[in-house]
Amino acid sequence: MSFDKEKRNSKEEVMKIDERIVKNLAQAADIVNTIGGGSIFPTFNTTKEEDHYRLEVTAPSINPDYIKVEVNGDHLFVFQQIEYKGTRVPNVLGVQKISAGVELQSITAEFEDEVLVVIMPFNELTDGFRREIDIHRN
């Protein structure tokens, strides 16, 4: 009888944990989907210029003060920071793969007429780079 009671208590604890997970997921969805606000779908447009790529991100109704741009490896992340209970929570708006020929340290971003413009300059060392590789034989 004691074993059945322990088993039932263990099952109740698991259910409580599951309820907390569901509640946390619902809160996260509520944050991202802002009550009465719905979802925001930004547009990403990349063009190749003479010496750089130009990424234009249009995100209507998002305060520019809450937009962040971050390079992580060979990806460029654009996200919005949402205020929730005094904490800013990131909401990824989009991810852009960065070309191998881009100079990562020189990427810049600014707002032009409410459009986020990210400039990704080409790495001059890789432009037109050519080298014959010696093949070593054992």
PDB file of all heavy atoms in Angstrom, residues 81-120:
ATOM      1  N   GLN A  81      14.048  43.384 -28.580  1.00  0.00           N
ATOM      2  CA  GLN A  81      14.003  43.115 -27.147  1.00  0.00           C
ATOM      3  C   GLN A  81      12.646  43.553 -26.626  1.00  0.00           C
ATOM      4  O   GLN A  81      12.246  44.709 -26.788  1.00  0.00           O
ATOM      5  CB  GLN A  81      15.132  43.824 -26.434  1.00  0.00           C
ATOM      6  CG  GLN A  81      16.479  43.289 -26.850  1.00  0.00           C
ATOM      7  CD  GLN A  81      17.558  43.634 -25.868  1.00  0.00           C
ATOM      8  OE1 GLN A  81      17.429  44.532 -25.053  1.00  0.00           O
ATOM      9  NE2 GLN A  81      18.642  42.909 -25.928  1.00  0.00           N
ATOM     10  N   ILE A  82      11.939  42.614 -26.023  1.00  0.00           N
ATOM     11  CA  ILE A  82      10.601  42.867 -25.502  1.00  0.00           C
ATOM     12  C   ILE A  82      10.676  43.015 -23.991  1.00  0.00           C
ATOM     13  O   ILE A  82      11.308  42.209 -23.313  1.00  0.00           O
ATOM     14  CB  ILE A  82       9.650  41.690 -25.866  1.00  0.00           C
ATOM     15  CG1 ILE A  82       9.579  41.533 -27.385  1.00  0.00           C
ATOM     16  CG2 ILE A  82       8.274  41.895 -25.280  1.00  0.00           C
ATOM     17  CD1 ILE A  82       8.859  40.278 -27.822  1.00  0.00           C
ATOM     18  N   GLU A  83      10.053  44.066 -23.474  1.00  0.00           N
ATOM     19  CA  GLU A  83       9.987  44.271 -22.020  1.00  0.00           C
ATOM     20  C   GLU A  83       8.974  43.300 -21.425  1.00  0.00           C
ATOM     21  O   GLU A  83       7.836  43.212 -21.889  1.00  0.00           O
ATOM     22  CB  GLU A  83       9.539  45.694 -21.702  1.00  0.00           C
ATOM     23  CG  GLU A  83      10.582  46.743 -21.911  1.00  0.00           C
ATOM     24  CD  GLU A  83      11.586  46.837 -20.778  1.00  0.00           C
ATOM     25  OE1 GLU A  83      11.283  46.436 -19.643  1.00  0.00           O
ATOM     26  OE2 GLU A  83      12.694  47.314 -21.059  1.00  0.00           O
ATOM     27  N   TYR A  84       9.393  42.563 -20.397  1.00  0.00           N
ATOM     28  CA  TYR A  84       8.482  41.657 -19.707  1.00  0.00           C
ATOM     29  C   TYR A  84       8.865  41.611 -18.243  1.00  0.00           C
ATOM     30  O   TYR A  84       9.963  41.166 -17.904  1.00  0.00           O
ATOM     31  CB  TYR A  84       8.528  40.255 -20.327  1.00  0.00           C
ATOM     32  CG  TYR A  84       7.614  39.278 -19.640  1.00  0.00           C
ATOM     33  CD1 TYR A  84       6.235  39.369 -19.789  1.00  0.00           C
ATOM     34  CD2 TYR A  84       8.121  38.279 -18.829  1.00  0.00           C
ATOM     35  CE1 TYR A  84       5.394  38.487 -19.161  1.00  0.00           C
ATOM     36  CE2 TYR A  84       7.285  37.387 -18.196  1.00  0.00           C
ATOM     37  CZ  TYR A  84       5.920  37.491 -18.358  1.00  0.00           C
ATOM     38  OH  TYR A  84       5.082  36.616 -17.726  1.00  0.00           O
ATOM     39  N   LYS A  85       7.993  42.111 -17.399  1.00  0.00           N
ATOM     40  CA  LYS A  85       8.217  42.123 -15.949  1.00  0.00           C
ATOM     41  C   LYS A  85       9.571  42.723 -15.592  1.00  0.00           C
ATOM     42  O   LYS A  85      10.331  42.177 -14.812  1.00  0.00           O
ATOM     43  CB  LYS A  85       8.077  40.715 -15.377  1.00  0.00           C
ATOM     44  CG  LYS A  85       6.683  40.154 -15.472  1.00  0.00           C
ATOM     45  CD  LYS A  85       6.571  38.803 -14.790  1.00  0.00           C
ATOM     46  CE  LYS A  85       5.157  38.282 -14.875  1.00  0.00           C
ATOM     47  NZ  LYS A  85       4.988  37.001 -14.215  1.00  0.00           N
ATOM     48  N   GLY A  86       9.897  43.849 -16.228  1.00  0.00           N
ATOM     49  CA  GLY A  86      11.129  44.550 -15.917  1.00  0.00           C
ATOM     50  C   GLY A  86      12.379  43.966 -16.554  1.00  0.00           C
ATOM     51  O   GLY A  86      13.478  44.437 -16.306  1.00  0.00           O
ATOM     52  N   THR A  87      12.230  42.949 -17.371  1.00  0.00           N
ATOM     53  CA  THR A  87      13.366  42.309 -18.025  1.00  0.00           C
ATOM     54  C   THR A  87      13.174  42.361 -19.529  1.00  0.00           C
ATOM     55  O   THR A  87      12.053  42.243 -20.012  1.00  0.00           O
ATOM     56  CB  THR A  87      13.469  40.825 -17.587  1.00  0.00           C
ATOM     57  OG1 THR A  87      13.533  40.762 -16.172  1.00  0.00           O
ATOM     58  CG2 THR A  87      14.695  40.167 -18.168  1.00  0.00           C
ATOM     59  N   ARG A  88      14.257  42.540 -20.259  1.00  0.00           N
ATOM     60  CA  ARG A  88      14.173  42.507 -21.722  1.00  0.00           C
ATOM     61  C   ARG A  88      14.426  41.089 -22.210  1.00  0.00           C
ATOM     62  O   ARG A  88      15.438  40.478 -21.890  1.00  0.00           O
ATOM     63  CB  ARG A  88      15.180  43.464 -22.345  1.00  0.00           C
ATOM     64  CG  ARG A  88      14.766  44.903 -22.129  1.00  0.00           C
ATOM     65  CD  ARG A  88      15.536  45.821 -23.005  1.00  0.00           C
ATOM     66  NE  ARG A  88      15.037  47.172 -22.828  1.00  0.00           N
ATOM     67  CZ  ARG A  88      15.590  48.215 -23.373  1.00  0.00           C
ATOM     68  NH1 ARG A  88      16.649  48.078 -24.141  1.00  0.00           N
ATOM     69  NH2 ARG A  88      15.082  49.404 -23.176  1.00  0.00           N
ATOM     70  N   VAL A  89      13.486  40.589 -23.000  1.00  0.00           N
ATOM     71  CA  VAL A  89      13.544  39.231 -23.529  1.00  0.00           C
ATOM     72  C   VAL A  89      13.754  39.324 -25.040  1.00  0.00           C
ATOM     73  O   VAL A  89      13.026  40.044 -25.719  1.00  0.00           O
ATOM     74  CB  VAL A  89      12.218  38.481 -23.231  1.00  0.00           C
ATOM     75  CG1 VAL A  89      12.256  37.076 -23.789  1.00  0.00           C
ATOM     76  CG2 VAL A  89      11.933  38.469 -21.737  1.00  0.00           C
ATOM     77  N   PRO A  90      14.753  38.599 -25.603  1.00  0.00           N
ATOM     78  CA  PRO A  90      14.982  38.693 -27.044  1.00  0.00           C
ATOM     79  C   PRO A  90      13.943  37.919 -27.856  1.00  0.00           C
ATOM     80  O   PRO A  90      13.538  36.824 -27.483  1.00  0.00           O
ATOM     81  CB  PRO A  90      16.375  38.085 -27.228  1.00  0.00           C
ATOM     82  CG  PRO A  90      16.548  37.178 -26.071  1.00  0.00           C
ATOM     83  CD  PRO A  90      15.739  37.766 -24.939  1.00  0.00           C
ATOM     84  N   ASN A  91      13.509  38.511 -28.960  1.00  0.00           N
ATOM     85  CA  ASN A  91      12.609  37.877 -29.912  1.00  0.00           C
ATOM     86  C   ASN A  91      13.297  37.961 -31.274  1.00  0.00           C
ATOM     87  O   ASN A  91      13.443  39.042 -31.829  1.00  0.00           O
ATOM     88  CB  ASN A  91      11.256  38.599 -29.943  1.00  0.00           C
ATOM     89  CG  ASN A  91      10.347  38.068 -31.024  1.00  0.00           C
ATOM     90  OD1 ASN A  91      10.342  36.879 -31.320  1.00  0.00           O
ATOM     91  ND2 ASN A  91       9.579  38.954 -31.629  1.00  0.00           N
ATOM     92  N   VAL A  92      13.748  36.820 -31.796  1.00  0.00           N
ATOM     93  CA  VAL A  92      14.485  36.811 -33.059  1.00  0.00           C
ATOM     94  C   VAL A  92      13.541  37.180 -34.195  1.00  0.00           C
ATOM     95  O   VAL A  92      12.521  36.540 -34.404  1.00  0.00           O
ATOM     96  CB  VAL A  92      15.141  35.440 -33.319  1.00  0.00           C
ATOM     97  CG1 VAL A  92      15.822  35.420 -34.683  1.00  0.00           C
ATOM     98  CG2 VAL A  92      16.141  35.108 -32.223  1.00  0.00           C
ATOM     99  N   LEU A  93      13.903  38.236 -34.925  1.00  0.00           N
ATOM    100  CA  LEU A  93      13.119  38.663 -36.078  1.00  0.00           C
ATOM    101  C   LEU A  93      13.595  37.976 -37.348  1.00  0.00           C
ATOM    102  O   LEU A  93      12.817  37.753 -38.267  1.00  0.00           O
ATOM    103  CB  LEU A  93      13.214  40.181 -36.248  1.00  0.00           C
ATOM    104  CG  LEU A  93      12.685  41.021 -35.091  1.00  0.00           C
ATOM    105  CD1 LEU A  93      12.960  42.490 -35.326  1.00  0.00           C
ATOM    106  CD2 LEU A  93      11.202  40.774 -34.891  1.00  0.00           C
ATOM    107  N   GLY A  94      14.886  37.668 -37.403  1.00  0.00           N
ATOM    108  CA  GLY A  94      15.419  36.998 -38.578  1.00  0.00           C
ATOM    109  C   GLY A  94      16.889  36.680 -38.428  1.00  0.00           C
ATOM    110  O   GLY A  94      17.590  37.260 -37.615  1.00  0.00           O
ATOM    111  N   VAL A  95      17.332  35.720 -39.250  1.00  0.00           N
ATOM    112  CA  VAL A  95      18.725  35.297 -39.263  1.00  0.00           C
ATOM    113  C   VAL A  95      19.191  35.302 -40.715  1.00  0.00           C
ATOM    114  O   VAL A  95      18.492  34.806 -41.595  1.00  0.00           O
ATOM    115  CB  VAL A  95      18.895  33.877 -38.671  1.00  0.00           C
ATOM    116  CG1 VAL A  95      20.353  33.443 -38.714  1.00  0.00           C
ATOM    117  CG2 VAL A  95      18.345  33.803 -37.263  1.00  0.00           C
ATOM    118  N   GLN A  96      20.360  35.877 -40.948  1.00  0.00           N
ATOM    119  CA  GLN A  96      20.919  35.971 -42.298  1.00  0.00           C
ATOM    120  C   GLN A  96      22.273  35.272 -42.308  1.00  0.00           C
ATOM    121  O   GLN A  96      23.126  35.577 -41.473  1.00  0.00           O
ATOM    122  CB  GLN A  96      21.081  37.450 -42.673  1.00  0.00           C
ATOM    123  CG  GLN A  96      21.711  37.708 -43.992  1.00  0.00           C
ATOM    124  CD  GLN A  96      20.702  37.652 -45.124  1.00  0.00           C
ATOM    125  OE1 GLN A  96      19.530  37.884 -44.910  1.00  0.00           O
ATOM    126  NE2 GLN A  96      21.165  37.343 -46.300  1.00  0.00           N
ATOM    127  N   LYS A  97      22.475  34.327 -43.213  1.00  0.00           N
ATOM    128  CA  LYS A  97      23.788  33.692 -43.360  1.00  0.00           C
ATOM    129  C   LYS A  97      24.736  34.720 -43.966  1.00  0.00           C
ATOM    130  O   LYS A  97      24.398  35.412 -44.912  1.00  0.00           O
ATOM    131  CB  LYS A  97      23.702  32.475 -44.261  1.00  0.00           C
ATOM    132  CG  LYS A  97      25.030  31.773 -44.464  1.00  0.00           C
ATOM    133  CD  LYS A  97      24.865  30.296 -44.315  1.00  0.00           C
ATOM    134  CE  LYS A  97      26.126  29.526 -44.639  1.00  0.00           C
ATOM    135  NZ  LYS A  97      27.202  29.735 -43.715  1.00  0.00           N
ATOM    136  N   ILE A  98      25.923  34.820 -43.398  1.00  0.00           N
ATOM    137  CA  ILE A  98      26.921  35.780 -43.872  1.00  0.00           C
ATOM    138  C   ILE A  98      27.848  35.072 -44.850  1.00  0.00           C
ATOM    139  O   ILE A  98      28.385  34.003 -44.554  1.00  0.00           O
ATOM    140  CB  ILE A  98      27.725  36.363 -42.693  1.00  0.00           C
ATOM    141  CG1 ILE A  98      26.787  37.053 -41.698  1.00  0.00           C
ATOM    142  CG2 ILE A  98      28.791  37.322 -43.191  1.00  0.00           C
ATOM    143  CD1 ILE A  98      27.461  37.489 -40.421  1.00  0.00           C
ATOM    144  N   SER A  99      28.049  35.679 -45.992  1.00  0.00           N
ATOM    145  CA  SER A  99      28.926  35.129 -47.030  1.00  0.00           C
ATOM    146  C   SER A  99      30.359  35.026 -46.503  1.00  0.00           C
ATOM    147  O   SER A  99      30.803  35.845 -45.697  1.00  0.00           O
ATOM    148  CB  SER A  99      28.880  36.034 -48.261  1.00  0.00           C
ATOM    149  OG  SER A  99      29.848  35.627 -49.196  1.00  0.00           O
ATOM    150  N   ALA A 100      31.087  34.043 -47.009  1.00  0.00           N
ATOM    151  CA  ALA A 100      32.466  33.825 -46.574  1.00  0.00           C
ATOM    152  C   ALA A 100      33.373  35.002 -46.910  1.00  0.00           C
ATOM    153  O   ALA A 100      34.393  35.214 -46.267  1.00  0.00           O
ATOM    154  CB  ALA A 100      33.013  32.550 -47.207  1.00  0.00           C
ATOM    155  N   GLY A 101      33.019  35.813 -47.907  1.00  0.00           N
ATOM    156  CA  GLY A 101      33.854  36.931 -48.316  1.00  0.00           C
ATOM    157  C   GLY A 101      33.637  38.209 -47.544  1.00  0.00           C
ATOM    158  O   GLY A 101      34.186  39.248 -47.879  1.00  0.00           O
ATOM    159  N   VAL A 102      32.836  38.166 -46.473  1.00  0.00           N
ATOM    160  CA  VAL A 102      32.524  39.372 -45.688  1.00  0.00           C
ATOM    161  C   VAL A 102      33.521  39.532 -44.551  1.00  0.00           C
ATOM    162  O   VAL A 102      33.887  38.570 -43.877  1.00  0.00           O
ATOM    163  CB  VAL A 102      31.082  39.301 -45.135  1.00  0.00           C
ATOM    164  CG1 VAL A 102      30.824  40.387 -44.107  1.00  0.00           C
ATOM    165  CG2 VAL A 102      30.076  39.391 -46.266  1.00  0.00           C
ATOM    166  N   GLU A 103      33.960  40.767 -44.339  1.00  0.00           N
ATOM    167  CA  GLU A 103      34.838  41.107 -43.223  1.00  0.00           C
ATOM    168  C   GLU A 103      33.972  41.284 -41.977  1.00  0.00           C
ATOM    169  O   GLU A 103      33.336  42.334 -41.795  1.00  0.00           O
ATOM    170  CB  GLU A 103      35.621  42.388 -43.533  1.00  0.00           C
ATOM    171  CG  GLU A 103      36.533  42.853 -42.415  1.00  0.00           C
ATOM    172  CD  GLU A 103      37.593  41.830 -42.051  1.00  0.00           C
ATOM    173  OE1 GLU A 103      38.253  41.307 -42.959  1.00  0.00           O
ATOM    174  OE2 GLU A 103      37.743  41.550 -40.846  1.00  0.00           O
ATOM    175  N   LEU A 104      33.915  40.267 -41.139  1.00  0.00           N
ATOM    176  CA  LEU A 104      33.004  40.252 -39.989  1.00  0.00           C
ATOM    177  C   LEU A 104      33.228  41.422 -39.036  1.00  0.00           C
ATOM    178  O   LEU A 104      32.268  41.990 -38.504  1.00  0.00           O
ATOM    179  CB  LEU A 104      33.122  38.931 -39.234  1.00  0.00           C
ATOM    180  CG  LEU A 104      32.781  37.664 -40.023  1.00  0.00           C
ATOM    181  CD1 LEU A 104      33.011  36.426 -39.173  1.00  0.00           C
ATOM    182  CD2 LEU A 104      31.360  37.714 -40.528  1.00  0.00           C
ATOM    183  N   GLN A 105      34.467  41.809 -38.819  1.00  0.00           N
ATOM    184  CA  GLN A 105      34.774  42.880 -37.867  1.00  0.00           C
ATOM    185  C   GLN A 105      34.296  44.249 -38.348  1.00  0.00           C
ATOM    186  O   GLN A 105      34.197  45.183 -37.562  1.00  0.00           O
ATOM    187  CB  GLN A 105      36.291  42.939 -37.599  1.00  0.00           C
ATOM    188  CG  GLN A 105      36.835  41.724 -36.900  1.00  0.00           C
ATOM    189  CD  GLN A 105      36.326  41.605 -35.474  1.00  0.00           C
ATOM    190  OE1 GLN A 105      35.979  42.584 -34.823  1.00  0.00           O
ATOM    191  NE2 GLN A 105      36.260  40.379 -34.972  1.00  0.00           N
ATOM    192  N   SER A 106      34.000  44.370 -39.637  1.00  0.00           N
ATOM    193  CA  SER A 106      33.646  45.674 -40.201  1.00  0.00           C
ATOM    194  C   SER A 106      32.152  45.843 -40.475  1.00  0.00           C
ATOM    195  O   SER A 106      31.748  46.829 -41.084  1.00  0.00           O
ATOM    196  CB  SER A 106      34.433  45.897 -41.501  1.00  0.00           C
ATOM    197  OG  SER A 106      35.812  45.871 -41.241  1.00  0.00           O
ATOM    198  N   ILE A 107      31.337  44.913 -40.036  1.00  0.00           N
ATOM    199  CA  ILE A 107      29.888  45.025 -40.249  1.00  0.00           C
ATOM    200  C   ILE A 107      29.355  46.182 -39.409  1.00  0.00           C
ATOM    201  O   ILE A 107      29.693  46.314 -38.230  1.00  0.00           O
ATOM    202  CB  ILE A 107      29.171  43.712 -39.893  1.00  0.00           C
ATOM    203  CG1 ILE A 107      29.602  42.610 -40.861  1.00  0.00           C
ATOM    204  CG2 ILE A 107      27.658  43.881 -39.911  1.00  0.00           C
ATOM    205  CD1 ILE A 107      29.062  41.233 -40.516  1.00  0.00           C
ATOM    206  N   THR A 108      28.517  47.016 -40.031  1.00  0.00           N
ATOM    207  CA  THR A 108      27.908  48.146 -39.322  1.00  0.00           C
ATOM    208  C   THR A 108      26.402  48.136 -39.553  1.00  0.00           C
ATOM    209  O   THR A 108      25.909  47.493 -40.489  1.00  0.00           O
ATOM    210  CB  THR A 108      28.472  49.492 -39.813  1.00  0.00           C
ATOM    211  OG1 THR A 108      28.190  49.635 -41.209  1.00  0.00           O
ATOM    212  CG2 THR A 108      29.969  49.589 -39.573  1.00  0.00           C
ATOM    213  N   ALA A 109      25.689  48.856 -38.703  1.00  0.00           N
ATOM    214  CA  ALA A 109      24.234  48.955 -38.834  1.00  0.00           C
ATOM    215  C   ALA A 109      23.791  50.349 -38.419  1.00  0.00           C
ATOM    216  O   ALA A 109      24.378  50.950 -37.507  1.00  0.00           O
ATOM    217  CB  ALA A 109      23.544  47.904 -37.974  1.00  0.00           C
ATOM    218  N   GLU A 110      22.744  50.839 -39.096  1.00  0.00           N
ATOM    219  CA  GLU A 110      22.164  52.133 -38.743  1.00  0.00           C
ATOM    220  C   GLU A 110      20.730  52.181 -39.264  1.00  0.00           C
ATOM    221  O   GLU A 110      20.333  51.364 -40.096  1.00  0.00           O
ATOM    222  CB  GLU A 110      22.976  53.286 -39.328  1.00  0.00           C
ATOM    223  CG  GLU A 110      22.974  53.355 -40.838  1.00  0.00           C
ATOM    224  CD  GLU A 110      23.804  54.524 -41.362  1.00  0.00           C
ATOM    225  OE1 GLU A 110      24.279  55.345 -40.567  1.00  0.00           O
ATOM    226  OE2 GLU A 110      23.974  54.594 -42.582  1.00  0.00           O
ATOM    227  N   PHE A 111      19.976  53.128 -38.750  1.00  0.00           N
ATOM    228  CA  PHE A 111      18.617  53.330 -39.242  1.00  0.00           C
ATOM    229  C   PHE A 111      18.616  54.455 -40.260  1.00  0.00           C
ATOM    230  O   PHE A 111      19.198  55.505 -40.042  1.00  0.00           O
ATOM    231  CB  PHE A 111      17.655  53.663 -38.097  1.00  0.00           C
ATOM    232  CG  PHE A 111      17.125  52.442 -37.410  1.00  0.00           C
ATOM    233  CD1 PHE A 111      17.742  51.960 -36.278  1.00  0.00           C
ATOM    234  CD2 PHE A 111      16.033  51.773 -37.925  1.00  0.00           C
ATOM    235  CE1 PHE A 111      17.267  50.819 -35.653  1.00  0.00           C
ATOM    236  CE2 PHE A 111      15.548  50.637 -37.315  1.00  0.00           C
ATOM    237  CZ  PHE A 111      16.170  50.162 -36.178  1.00  0.00           C
ATOM    238  N   GLU A 112      17.965  54.193 -41.398  1.00  0.00           N
ATOM    239  CA  GLU A 112      17.761  55.198 -42.435  1.00  0.00           C
ATOM    240  C   GLU A 112      16.262  55.247 -42.708  1.00  0.00           C
ATOM    241  O   GLU A 112      15.704  54.290 -43.255  1.00  0.00           O
ATOM    242  CB  GLU A 112      18.506  54.823 -43.728  1.00  0.00           C
ATOM    243  CG  GLU A 112      20.013  54.823 -43.615  1.00  0.00           C
ATOM    244  CD  GLU A 112      20.691  54.411 -44.917  1.00  0.00           C
ATOM    245  OE1 GLU A 112      20.002  54.217 -45.937  1.00  0.00           O
ATOM    246  OE2 GLU A 112      21.920  54.259 -44.898  1.00  0.00           O
ATOM    247  N   ASP A 113      15.625  56.335 -42.326  1.00  0.00           N
ATOM    248  CA  ASP A 113      14.180  56.494 -42.547  1.00  0.00           C
ATOM    249  C   ASP A 113      13.383  55.284 -42.047  1.00  0.00           C
ATOM    250  O   ASP A 113      12.608  54.682 -42.786  1.00  0.00           O
ATOM    251  CB  ASP A 113      13.880  56.737 -44.032  1.00  0.00           C
ATOM    252  CG  ASP A 113      14.552  57.999 -44.540  1.00  0.00           C
ATOM    253  OD1 ASP A 113      14.608  58.982 -43.777  1.00  0.00           O
ATOM    254  OD2 ASP A 113      15.024  57.993 -45.689  1.00  0.00           O
ATOM    255  N   GLU A 114      13.619  54.899 -40.812  1.00  0.00           N
ATOM    256  CA  GLU A 114      12.912  53.800 -40.149  1.00  0.00           C
ATOM    257  C   GLU A 114      13.182  52.422 -40.750  1.00  0.00           C
ATOM    258  O   GLU A 114      12.457  51.466 -40.507  1.00  0.00           O
ATOM    259  CB  GLU A 114      11.406  54.071 -40.097  1.00  0.00           C
ATOM    260  CG  GLU A 114      11.078  55.322 -39.298  1.00  0.00           C
ATOM    261  CD  GLU A 114       9.588  55.543 -39.147  1.00  0.00           C
ATOM    262  OE1 GLU A 114       8.813  54.588 -39.321  1.00  0.00           O
ATOM    263  OE2 GLU A 114       9.208  56.680 -38.849  1.00  0.00           O
ATOM    264  N   VAL A 115      14.228  52.317 -41.556  1.00  0.00           N
ATOM    265  CA  VAL A 115      14.655  51.028 -42.107  1.00  0.00           C
ATOM    266  C   VAL A 115      16.028  50.721 -41.524  1.00  0.00           C
ATOM    267  O   VAL A 115      16.942  51.554 -41.578  1.00  0.00           O
ATOM    268  CB  VAL A 115      14.728  51.061 -43.652  1.00  0.00           C
ATOM    269  CG1 VAL A 115      15.313  49.772 -44.199  1.00  0.00           C
ATOM    270  CG2 VAL A 115      13.359  51.337 -44.242  1.00  0.00           C
ATOM    271  N   LEU A 116      16.176  49.522 -40.955  1.00  0.00           N
ATOM    272  CA  LEU A 116      17.475  49.100 -40.445  1.00  0.00           C
ATOM    273  C   LEU A 116      18.337  48.704 -41.640  1.00  0.00           C
ATOM    274  O   LEU A 116      17.939  47.858 -42.446  1.00  0.00           O
ATOM    275  CB  LEU A 116      17.321  47.906 -39.495  1.00  0.00           C
ATOM    276  CG  LEU A 116      18.618  47.273 -39.000  1.00  0.00           C
ATOM    277  CD1 LEU A 116      19.396  48.240 -38.114  1.00  0.00           C
ATOM    278  CD2 LEU A 116      18.320  45.983 -38.248  1.00  0.00           C
ATOM    279  N   VAL A 117      19.510  49.333 -41.757  1.00  0.00           N
ATOM    280  CA  VAL A 117      20.424  49.035 -42.858  1.00  0.00           C
ATOM    281  C   VAL A 117      21.703  48.456 -42.256  1.00  0.00           C
ATOM    282  O   VAL A 117      22.348  49.092 -41.428  1.00  0.00           O
ATOM    283  CB  VAL A 117      20.744  50.295 -43.691  1.00  0.00           C
ATOM    284  CG1 VAL A 117      21.767  49.973 -44.775  1.00  0.00           C
ATOM    285  CG2 VAL A 117      19.469  50.870 -44.291  1.00  0.00           C
ATOM    286  N   VAL A 118      22.040  47.242 -42.695  1.00  0.00           N
ATOM    287  CA  VAL A 118      23.260  46.576 -42.236  1.00  0.00           C
ATOM    288  C   VAL A 118      24.204  46.491 -43.431  1.00  0.00           C
ATOM    289  O   VAL A 118      23.836  45.971 -44.484  1.00  0.00           O
ATOM    290  CB  VAL A 118      22.962  45.164 -41.688  1.00  0.00           C
ATOM    291  CG1 VAL A 118      24.247  44.496 -41.212  1.00  0.00           C
ATOM    292  CG2 VAL A 118      21.941  45.232 -40.549  1.00  0.00           C
ATOM    293  N   ILE A 119      25.407  47.038 -43.246  1.00  0.00           N
ATOM    294  CA  ILE A 119      26.425  47.010 -44.295  1.00  0.00           C
ATOM    295  C   ILE A 119      27.446  45.934 -43.927  1.00  0.00           C
ATOM    296  O   ILE A 119      28.025  45.957 -42.844  1.00  0.00           O
ATOM    297  CB  ILE A 119      27.130  48.384 -44.443  1.00  0.00           C
ATOM    298  CG1 ILE A 119      26.110  49.485 -44.752  1.00  0.00           C
ATOM    299  CG2 ILE A 119      28.233  48.313 -45.481  1.00  0.00           C
ATOM    300  CD1 ILE A 119      25.388  49.333 -46.072  1.00  0.00           C
ATOM    301  N   MET A 120      27.636  44.995 -44.865  1.00  0.00           N
ATOM    302  CA  MET A 120      28.585  43.899 -44.657  1.00  0.00           C
ATOM    303  C   MET A 120      29.679  44.000 -45.727  1.00  0.00           C
ATOM    304  O   MET A 120      29.525  43.466 -46.832  1.00  0.00           O
ATOM    305  CB  MET A 120      27.858  42.555 -44.734  1.00  0.00           C
ATOM    306  CG  MET A 120      26.788  42.390 -43.655  1.00  0.00           C
ATOM    307  SD  MET A 120      25.865  40.853 -43.773  1.00  0.00           S
ATOM    308  CE  MET A 120      24.622  41.320 -44.979  1.00  0.00           C
TER     309      MET A 120
END
